[in-house]
Amino acid sequence: MTNSIGKGWAAGLVSAIKDPKNCIISSEDAVVIRDKYPKAQHHYLVLPKADIADIFHLTLSHLPLLEELYLLAQNVIEVKRCVMDDFKIGFHAQPSMQRLHLHVISKDFVSDCLKTKKHWTSFNTELFLPYQDVTTRLKADGCIKRLTKEKIQQLTTCALECNQCEFVPKNVPDLKRHLFDHWTQKR
């Protein structure tokens, strides 16, 4: 983002990782915080203390840092007494914030903050890059390449589909009701 809101939000992430009360877990190189607008019951961000704009600024030299981010992601799941299989860990392929962050998000997607199709597709299509895919691409290519405009268009306009079954909802409210049913059945 190049507007002032985007810059303010990026600055907000930087100040959030410096405030000890926001910290769930930290290491010498990174911090885990709650997402301010969680899109699921559990939604955390793992941010490096180093100023790295996004995944497109990663190089092979960042692999040890990425491993540290992933270890912290695993740790927060353990601290919250959750199960790894119930989570997605990865990066947005089309980042909306100007600071590198690894999402640790439960697959339930039950949240008042999940409001738009864009919220859903950013986590449940190829717009979400699993951690392992990012490290594999980085090792193979030395960088992370941007998706083409055509691919982004295809992914953002695809039909909604439940991430837990074959249900195809009419709209986001229909999807949210359906996801809530999944969630209550598991509890």
Side-chain angles (χ1 to χ4, degrees):
M1 287 184 150
T2 57
N3 62 31
S4 61
I5 293 170
K7 290 178 183 175
W9 178 239
L13 280 179
V14 173
S15 63
I17 66 174
K18 291 181 180 178
D19 186 343
K21 72 180 180 210
N22 293 327
C23 177
I24 300 170
I25 300 172
S26 67
S27 70
E28 190 175 309
D29 298 319
V31 174
V32 180
I33 63 172
R34 283 177 186 77
D35 191 295
K36 191 173 180 179
Y37 302 101
K39 304 301 185 283
Q41 290 295 300
H42 295 274
H43 190 176
Y44 311 103
L45 303 177
V46 186
L47 296 106
K49 292 179 181 175
D51 185 11
I52 303 169
D54 54 38
I55 60 171
F56 308 113
H57 288 83
L58 293 172
T59 66
L60 285 172
S61 69
H62 291 113
L63 283 170
L65 175 63
L66 290 176
E67 290 172 14
E68 178 70 15
L69 299 183
Y70 188 71
L71 285 173
L72 286 171
Q74 292 174 307
N75 287 344
V76 75
I77 292 169
E78 184 178 317
V79 164
K80 296 298 180 176
R81 298 192 172 144
C82 295
V83 179
M84 278 289 289
D85 287 345
D86 293 337
F87 282 80
K88 297 178 88 161
I89 301 172
F91 301 91
H92 287 304
Q94 189 179 22
S96 60
M97 295 188 294
Q98 296 294 314
R99 180 71 177 224
L100 179 71
H101 57 285
L102 177 67
H103 287 272
V104 183
I105 187 165
S106 55
K107 296 175 185 175
D108 57 79
F109 290 96
V110 172
S111 170
D112 290 340
C113 295
L114 181 77
K115 297 179 179 182
T116 67
K117 184 177 181 183
K118 181 180 179 182
H119 292 157
W120 179 256
T121 58
S122 70
F123 288 102
N124 292 287
T125 66
E126 292 172 60
L127 290 170
F128 189 77
L129 301 173
Y131 165 81
Q132 289 82 358
D133 290 359
V134 169
T135 57
T136 299
R137 289 181 190 184
L138 199 55
K139 289 173 186 173
D141 302 331
C143 65
I144 303 300
K145 297 175 184 164
R146 294 182 188 273
L147 296 175
T148 64
K149 289 179 183 179
E150 294 79 18
K151 184 66 173 178
I152 292 168
Q153 177 70 19
Q154 173 197 359
L155 294 169
T156 56
T157 59
C158 68
L160 291 170
E161 185 177 325
C162 178
N163 65 336
Q164 300 169 55
C165 71
E166 295 180 11
F167 177 70
V168 177
K170 294 175 234 152
N171 52 37
V172 172
D174 193 25
L175 174 63
K176 288 181 66 151
R177 282 189 294 276
H178 178 79
L179 292 169
F180 186 78
D181 289 344
H182 276 298
W183 183 67
T184 56
Q185 290 171 10
K186 289 182 179 179
R187 293 177 77 203

